[in-house]
Amino acid sequence: GRGGRDGMNGSEVWMGLGFGRDMSWTPRAVNVDLQTDATLQVDISDALSERDKVKFTVHTKSTLPNFKQNEFSVVRQHEEFIWLHDSFVENEDYAGYIIPPAPPRPDFDASREKLQKLGEGEGSMTKEEFTKMKQELEAEYLAIFKKTVAMHEVFLCRVAAHPVLKKDLNFHVFLEYNQDLSVRGKNKKEKLEDFFKNVVKSADGVLVAGVKDVDDFFEHEKTFLLEYHNRVKDASLKSDKMIRSHKNAADDINRISSSLYTLGTQDSTDVCKFFLKVSELLEKTRKIEARVAADEDLKLADLLKYYLRESQAAKDLLYRRGRALVDYENANKALDKARSKNKDVLQAETGQQLCCHKFEKISESAKQELVDFKTRRVAAFRKNLVELAELELKHAKGHLQLLQSCLGILKGDT
Amino acid sequence: VCVWGQAEPLNSNGQNSLLEEEEEEEEEGEDLFTGSLSVPLVLSLSRSLSLSLSLSLSLFPSVSLSLSLSLSLSLKATEEVSLDSPERDVLLSDGPSPVTPPASLISPHLPHNHLYTHCSFDEMEEEDTPDLFDISILVSDPEKTSMSLFKSPQATVRRRFSDFLGLHGKLATRYLHVGYLVPPAPEKSIVGMTKVKVGKDDSSSNEFVEKRRAALERYLMRTAKHPVLLKDPDLLTFLECSELPRALSTQALSGAGILRMVNKAADAVNKMTIKMTESDTWFEEKQQKFENLDIQLRKLHCSLDSLVCHRKELSVNTALFAKSAAMLGNSEDHTALSRALSQLAEVEEKVEQLHQDQAGADFYLLAELLADYIRLIGSVKGVFDQRVRLWQRLQDSLLLLQKKRDAEAKLHANKPEKLQQARDDIRELEGKVQQGERDFEQISKTIRKELFRFEKERVTDFKEVIIKYLESLVQTQQQLIKYWEAFLPEAKAIS
């Protein structure tokens, strides 16, 4: 990747890491399997991590006539992605679609904290240990960085692949307008408003969910999604814990390797060779274990996290439809009342028609969306589970080979 | 040595001696966190010379309360402490010389080598361990040459934990102060024993019994491997006699126990004041080396402990994830994916077991070996200290002799009776000095031999264990490959 910017000092130098397209890792199809459409292709070609923000270079290739050029790039930050997502959510026309979930905020706090601790404890460890740990932390930072890029890219790709959303004007502005969108983050008042909106929404959601649906398909989807969402949440949490334990164990192996090395250099007997050889072995196997944990994180934990967000988005769709249904039923009642009183009948009729139209529109697209959701989900799980198994096998085989060759040498020695 | 453990709950119709022991143990149990913890704490704290603090801890129950709050913490304390060798306090009692002087036990025509190079070891001892538990020893000795030492090729005896401690006490008293490295016995663990006594049938008390059983097995093996200790009549009695007199002096609050504590305190203070002028660089070098080795082994042990802990955690978390994945599979409505997720859950369950087993190997193979060696190094330091003590005694005698000689010179003219007395004293002292010099030389020689043997044993031990450990790692990876290979087609079958 490209090097960092200048103007960084000391421990911050390495945080200005660039990230180029030439890496063999492709973020695009990490969690979703999307058909690429020649008329509009979006990706994040580069990203830069500065002190407390990440700058993404969004690169677009399009044959659509509404763009001024066929290929262009802009620089965007996380807040602008959120703005785009929120604009979709607030748009009534899109009520019948699963809005692609917003990417999570880039969070380097934990990594930064660890680095700081390392810097503070520099005096208490040997130079080799310090360099080793620093390398590890840098690798961790890079991994988090790659992930956040992937999340943001997936969001854009989902939008670009959606038959309706890809035509959204805000989306085009996001892709093309090469100035800052001046989307400031929400201030306290707005955040408070959001909070209340959410409270109202969840209360309402409970009410709406209680209404039994005539349509079997949607009734089934409702029950299914509720349960599925909760279980994915649980699985996501547990997989995170498991992977963290794995990383901890790998760290321990690192320390053991260092101790063995010291023992080996100090020892004057025959066994020093053993110590040194095993120390070397553990150094290598630790790297493998760390890779296993990282791959599990990527293929399993991230998959679960993504579907946690998507299943929430699907639930939101069902809620909107449920809301529309309730509104429709209320409009029907209002119409009946108006007709019985013979007062404001026309008004009631138009109202009822509007609600009916809205409800039917949502129902129609919702059905398709939910079917697509299932297809995507199955494809993504398949892809990731297969890749997970293949990677586990690859690492285990490599690990085994290392162990066997080391054993061979040591046994031959005795 | 194979040791198998068997835990039996106390039965009310036990013999008198059993009841007696139970009562005493009970007392110990009641004073759980006050009295008994003081012993271990003394051992570790005396090293850092904060003696008064440690003694007072035993007397102030209020302080001990903080210790009782976290069982794991106190267990750690006893564990940590067990890394110190209790050898050193035994030396203080300036034990009697061995019943038969060590020299006579070394009969050159007996081929000792047979006794310990056999990898399954000539003696196969099976023992069961702790207090209140039945233990059995199985000794089988195929080597004809050493038949003369044992009455029969096989013997099974029941021993209590306190019997082991008693044996160790006797051996230590007899051999340590002439420079032999007596392997240290496993430590008492009040917390662990209480759990077991209470009758908790959970994994932690089973683990404790297993740990202790394994530790006692290793202890006996190591002791029996020692060419000199093997011929000790007490060891032979221990291995063969069906009834052993109770070893009472091993209890923490017994008279002997308290004496040990006090002596240990005195010893530590003493050690500070002895400054030996080392004429032999070999000893200086070796002492430094063992110091370094001690530090490194402790560090390694600490990391290993952490690894065992994290692996166990990993095992638990993997199990939790497996359950969660199974649930997810259940609620998934696409049949093929649902099946694949269930399969994933199964794989993870198996992986959990793997992690558990690996953690066991980490512990029983590596961590315990390190702990043993850390305690052994304590033994080594003990004999070094003993040598210094002998040297000190020699110097004292020399000084006294010089004084008497000077005094005699002054007396020369005046009083004939006193002169005779003085001359007698001097002769006696000269004898003492000679004996002292001989002792010092002897101990130096013995230590050299012992260290040589120790290093050899250390090399073999470590090599063996490292290879076994790597083999366990190999097995884990092979299993992993099997499991994931079984899963892969399932994942691919999702359509």
Side-chain angles (χ1 to χ4, degrees):
Chain A
R2 299 211 316 251
R5 292 252 182 96
D6 33 272
M8 305 282 181
N9 50 10
S11 61
E12 302 228 63
V13 170
W14 58 273
M15 271 154 64
L17 287 171
F19 167 69
R21 217 57 192 97
D22 45 277
M23 295 212 171
S24 55
W25 168 82
T26 43
R28 175 170 312 185
V30 161
N31 295 316
V32 286
D33 204 28
L34 298 167
Q35 293 92 352
T36 45
D37 181 3
T39 57
L40 181 63
Q41 278 179 357
V42 185
D43 63 84
I44 296 186
S45 58
D46 199 0
L48 206 59
S49 164
E50 284 181 1
R51 214 157 294 252
D52 58 352
K53 52 188 176 223
V54 182
K55 295 203 170 129
F56 303 96
T57 306
V58 179
H59 166 249
T60 317
K61 258 207 214 144
S62 171
T63 55
L64 292 175
N66 42 328
F67 292 118
K68 296 198 195 79
Q69 297 165 297
N70 280 351
E71 192 170 345
F72 48 89
S73 292
V74 293
V75 175
R76 291 280 172 253
Q77 288 184 38
H78 175 74
E79 288 76 23
E80 293 164 309
F81 286 76
I82 300 301
W83 164 82
L84 182 61
H85 171 261
D86 289 349
S87 75
F88 291 149
V89 169
E90 286 158 14
N91 191 331
E92 284 274 333
D93 289 343
Y94 300 146
Y97 307 120
I98 295 182
I99 309 293
R105 196 181 68 87
D107 184 12
F108 297 103
D109 289 343
S111 199
R112 217 172 275 143
E113 218 180 274
K114 275 198 211 170
L115 185 71
Q116 216 170 351
K117 266 201 217 149
L118 179 68
E120 285 166 9
E122 185 173 353
S124 68
M125 54 179 91
T126 67
K127 190 149 194 300
E128 295 91 38
E129 269 177 35
F130 179 73
T131 350
K132 250 202 260 185
M133 290 215 67
K134 183 154 173 280
Q135 275 174 358
E136 263 170 58
L137 283 182
E138 286 176 358
E140 205 180 290
Y141 188 91
L142 191 60
I144 300 177
F145 185 65
K146 279 192 199 174
K147 258 206 245 181
T148 194
V149 170
M151 299 288 161
H152 285 76
E153 195 181 78
V154 158
F155 169 70
L156 292 179
C157 293
R158 282 268 279 120
V159 175
H162 193 282
V164 175
L165 293 176
K166 74 203 277 189
K167 302 190 191 124
D168 182 81
L169 185 62
N170 283 335
F171 183 47
H172 290 179
V173 168
F174 177 93
L175 289 177
E176 200 179 17
Y177 186 63
N178 55 11
Q179 306 284 347
D180 192 358
L181 286 175
S182 297
V183 172
R184 59 167 175 75
K186 296 192 169 152
N187 62 18
K188 271 200 196 145
K189 178 159 168 274
E190 285 166 338
K191 283 198 183 142
L192 202 60
E193 280 174 8
D194 270 354
F195 173 71
F196 280 120
K197 263 197 232 164
N198 275 331
V199 168
V200 168
K201 179 174 163 222
S202 32
D204 196 30
V206 171
L207 273 168
V208 163
V211 174
K212 176 112 171 66
D213 208 315
V214 241
D215 190 327
D216 275 342
F217 174 80
F218 284 105
E219 188 59 30
H220 165 79
E221 286 294 310
K222 204 165 45 170
T223 9
F224 163 71
L225 268 177
L226 203 62
E227 196 188 58
Y228 188 79
H229 177 79
N230 288 336
R231 293 197 176 171
V232 160
K233 195 191 286 191
D234 188 54
S236 170
L237 283 170
K238 302 272 162 68
S239 76
D240 275 345
K241 267 172 100 173
M242 176 176 80
I243 291 167
R244 217 184 354 254
S245 296
H246 212 143
K247 286 200 184 122
N248 286 340
D251 283 341
D252 286 327
I253 297 180
N254 203 10
R255 253 171 269 138
I256 292 173
S257 166
S258 305
S259 290
L260 279 177
Y261 181 77
T262 324
L263 265 174
T265 47
Q266 272 184 4
D267 204 301
S268 55
T269 66
D270 227 10
V271 83
C272 76
K273 255 182 294 177
F274 268 61
F275 286 147
L276 290 172
K277 203 90 203 46
V278 175
S279 165
E280 194 188 314
L281 169 76
L282 287 180
E283 179 66 43
K284 296 192 190 129
T285 59
R286 180 203 70 84
K287 289 209 178 85
I288 295 184
E289 290 290 317
R291 276 264 49 172
V292 170
D295 286 338
E296 284 177 349
D297 196 21
L298 216 57
K299 300 294 169 191
L300 197 56
D302 281 353
L303 174 73
L304 292 169
K305 278 199 202 84
Y306 186 80
Y307 277 94
L308 177 63
R309 295 203 301 280
E310 269 247 26
S311 57
Q312 182 62 49
K315 273 170 73 182
D316 289 343
L317 170 62
L318 280 181
Y319 161 73
R320 289 195 292 272
R321 178 177 171 280
R323 180 80 251 161
L325 177 62
V326 167
D327 289 343
Y328 180 35
E329 284 176 353
N330 287 343
N332 273 339
K333 285 191 200 133
L335 181 61
D336 286 342
K337 200 161 133 196
R339 281 195 179 137
S340 68
K341 285 190 186 163
N342 208 359
K343 189 177 168 200
D344 295 324
V345 173
L346 191 60
Q347 198 179 38
E349 271 180 357
T350 19
Q352 191 256 24
Q353 267 180 8
L354 266 167
C355 286
C356 173
H357 177 72
K358 181 174 172 195
F359 173 68
E360 282 174 355
K361 182 162 166 251
I362 291 182
S363 286
E364 199 181 304
S365 57
K367 200 161 193 162
Q368 188 55 46
E369 288 283 302
L370 288 169
V371 167
D372 287 345
F373 173 60
K374 181 165 171 175
T375 321
R376 271 201 313 274
R377 183 174 81 241
V378 172
F381 269 79
R382 180 187 191 281
K383 181 171 182 291
N384 281 289
L385 288 177
V386 167
E387 285 176 359
L388 174 70
E390 287 174 346
L391 283 168
E392 292 268 4
L393 274 173
K394 173 173 152 220
H395 291 314
K397 287 187 179 152
H399 197 157
L400 181 64
Q401 203 194 33
L402 274 177
L403 285 170
Q404 280 171 333
S405 86
C406 182
L407 252 181
I409 294 176
L410 290 182
K411 275 186 172 161
D413 233 11
T414 46
Chain B
V1 171
C2 333
V3 178
W4 42 271
Q6 197 183 20
E8 278 177 13
L10 267 185
N11 40 3
S12 51
N13 55 345
Q15 298 147 5
N16 241 356
S17 56
L18 253 172
L19 276 175
E20 209 180 276
E21 161 128 41
E22 177 191 346
E23 260 168 37
E24 287 178 45
E25 304 287 5
E26 215 93 282
E27 272 170 25
E28 262 184 57
E30 270 158 27
D31 291 323
L32 188 65
F33 298 107
T34 55
S36 31
L37 262 181
S38 65
V39 173
L41 279 170
V42 166
L43 289 177
S44 66
L45 287 175
S46 67
R47 284 178 71 87
S48 52
L49 296 175
S50 44
L51 299 162
S52 53
L53 180 63
S54 68
L55 286 176
S56 64
L57 267 174
S58 64
L59 301 172
F60 293 176
S62 54
V63 179
S64 69
L65 272 176
S66 61
L67 294 167
S68 70
L69 275 175
S70 45
L71 277 180
S72 60
L73 187 65
S74 49
L75 208 103
K76 203 116 221 296
T78 53
E79 289 311 307
E80 176 126 11
V81 154
S82 67
L83 298 180
D84 287 308
S85 167
E87 265 50 63
R88 305 164 81 169
D89 65 335
V90 183
L91 289 176
L92 291 171
S93 41
D94 202 35
S97 3
V99 173
T100 44
S104 71
L105 289 177
I106 302 174
S107 356
H109 63 273
L110 263 180
H112 325 277
N113 296 335
H114 290 272
L115 291 173
Y116 51 83
T117 52
H118 199 297
C119 57
S120 63
F121 204 59
D122 316 273
E123 310 176 356
M124 283 205 304
E125 306 178 358
E126 284 192 16
E127 284 178 31
D128 197 342
T129 59
D131 281 355
L132 313 178
F133 292 91
D134 289 331
I135 44 186
S136 301
I137 312 175
L138 210 81
V139 177
S140 89
D141 191 350
E143 292 288 323
K144 298 289 185 184
T145 49
S146 29
M147 272 279 264
S148 55
L149 286 173
F150 295 95
K151 295 198 205 100
S152 65
Q154 281 201 33
T156 311
V157 289
R158 309 175 93 88
R159 294 283 174 261
R160 317 188 107 91
F161 184 65
S162 50
D163 294 337
F164 284 82
L165 294 183
L167 170 70
H168 171 75
K170 292 205 196 103
L171 290 178
T173 329
R174 209 170 289 153
Y175 294 98
L176 263 183
H177 71 279
V178 281
Y180 288 101
L181 289 176
V182 178
E187 284 283 317
K188 282 168 98 71
S189 168
I190 307 305
V191 178
M193 271 315 293
T194 320
K195 271 205 206 158
V196 167
K197 277 188 227 171
V198 162
K200 270 169 79 160
D201 187 29
D202 66 350
S203 59
S204 68
S205 44
N206 288 341
E207 242 179 76
F208 171 75
V209 173
E210 174 56 30
K211 216 173 115 175
R212 184 166 265 197
R213 186 204 65 83
L216 284 171
E217 183 177 292
R218 287 194 308 271
Y219 162 68
L220 265 192
M221 277 292 295
R222 224 182 278 278
T223 310
K225 269 193 209 165
H226 195 293
V228 170
L229 293 180
L230 180 58
K231 297 182 204 68
D232 184 278
D234 271 319
L235 180 62
L236 300 178
T237 328
F238 182 87
L239 293 175
E240 294 192 307
C241 275
S242 39
E243 279 301 320
L244 260 192
R246 286 275 312 285
L248 291 167
S249 61
T250 55
Q251 276 156 6
L253 289 186
S254 65
I258 295 196
L259 186 64
R260 273 203 294 275
M261 265 163 40
V262 172
N263 282 338
K264 199 162 178 66
D267 170 45
V269 173
N270 234 350
K271 186 167 163 248
M272 283 205 330
T273 54
I274 297 182
K275 197 61 183 116
M276 171 170 172
T277 48
E278 185 62 73
S279 50
D280 195 344
T281 46
W282 186 91
F283 280 91
E284 223 174 281
E285 227 179 83
K286 283 293 179 190
Q287 258 183 299
Q288 190 54 46
K289 255 187 67 182
F290 276 101
E291 222 26 74
N292 291 341
L293 187 63
D294 193 30
I295 295 174
Q296 285 310 317
L297 285 182
R298 278 175 200 264
K299 201 160 149 219
L300 186 58
H301 184 263
C302 192
S303 310
L304 260 172
D305 257 350
S306 179
L307 177 63
V308 171
C309 185
H310 284 140
R311 254 206 242 273
K312 287 203 180 132
E313 212 179 85
L314 176 59
S315 171
V316 165
N317 287 336
T318 310
L320 286 174
F321 173 70
K323 286 202 193 81
S324 189
M327 295 279 282
L328 186 62
N330 274 342
S331 62
E332 174 60 63
D333 60 356
H334 185 273
T335 27
L337 179 56
S338 170
R339 195 174 48 235
L341 283 172
S342 312
Q343 293 286 33
L344 179 68
E346 269 180 45
V347 167
E348 293 291 350
E349 253 177 57
K350 293 191 196 138
V351 167
E352 167 223 345
Q353 189 57 46
L354 270 187
H355 286 311
Q356 184 85 306
D357 293 341
Q358 185 59 57
D362 290 344
F363 181 74
Y364 283 106
L365 283 178
L366 280 184
E368 287 287 79
L369 173 78
L370 289 175
D372 283 350
Y373 268 91
I374 291 171
R375 285 208 300 279
L376 275 171
I377 290 181
S379 235
V380 170
K381 289 188 184 173
V383 294
F384 276 130
D385 284 349
Q386 182 58 15
R387 179 170 168 274
V388 170
R389 231 172 270 125
L390 282 189
W391 179 87
Q392 184 63 43
R393 222 178 285 160
L394 179 61
Q395 298 308 310
D396 289 343
S397 313
L398 277 173
L399 214 64
L400 196 56
L401 181 63
Q402 191 54 40
K403 262 204 281 199
K404 289 273 175 163
R405 283 204 177 130
D406 290 343
E408 189 231 8
K410 281 195 208 139
L411 274 184
H412 198 78
N414 308 356
K415 297 152 190 186
E417 331 82 46
K418 281 209 179 153
L419 197 58
Q420 188 53 42
Q421 180 64 35
R423 289 233 174 92
D424 285 339
D425 284 345
I426 287 178
R427 216 164 299 135
E428 199 188 310
L429 271 176
E430 280 176 345
K432 224 167 147 197
V433 165
Q434 268 179 1
Q435 181 61 36
E437 283 174 344
R438 271 204 299 274
D439 285 343
F440 184 71
E441 262 191 52
Q442 181 62 39
I443 201 179
S444 300
K445 225 171 33 177
T446 313
I447 291 181
R448 273 183 201 262
K449 252 198 313 207
E450 285 289 285
L451 285 187
F452 182 71
R453 191 189 62 85
F454 175 78
E455 288 289 89
K456 259 196 4 206
E457 207 178 280
R458 180 169 78 91
V459 168
T460 357
D461 269 353
F462 271 86
K463 280 189 180 178
E464 201 182 292
V465 164
I466 286 178
I467 287 186
K468 267 206 215 128
Y469 181 67
L470 289 183
E471 284 175 347
S472 82
L473 288 178
V474 164
Q475 232 195 353
T476 306
Q477 292 305 314
Q478 282 170 333
Q479 289 292 90
L480 263 179
I481 290 176
K482 237 180 34 192
Y483 298 150
W484 286 108
E485 273 179 347
F487 174 72
L488 191 54
E490 286 289 339
K492 288 191 167 153
I494 306 172
S495 54

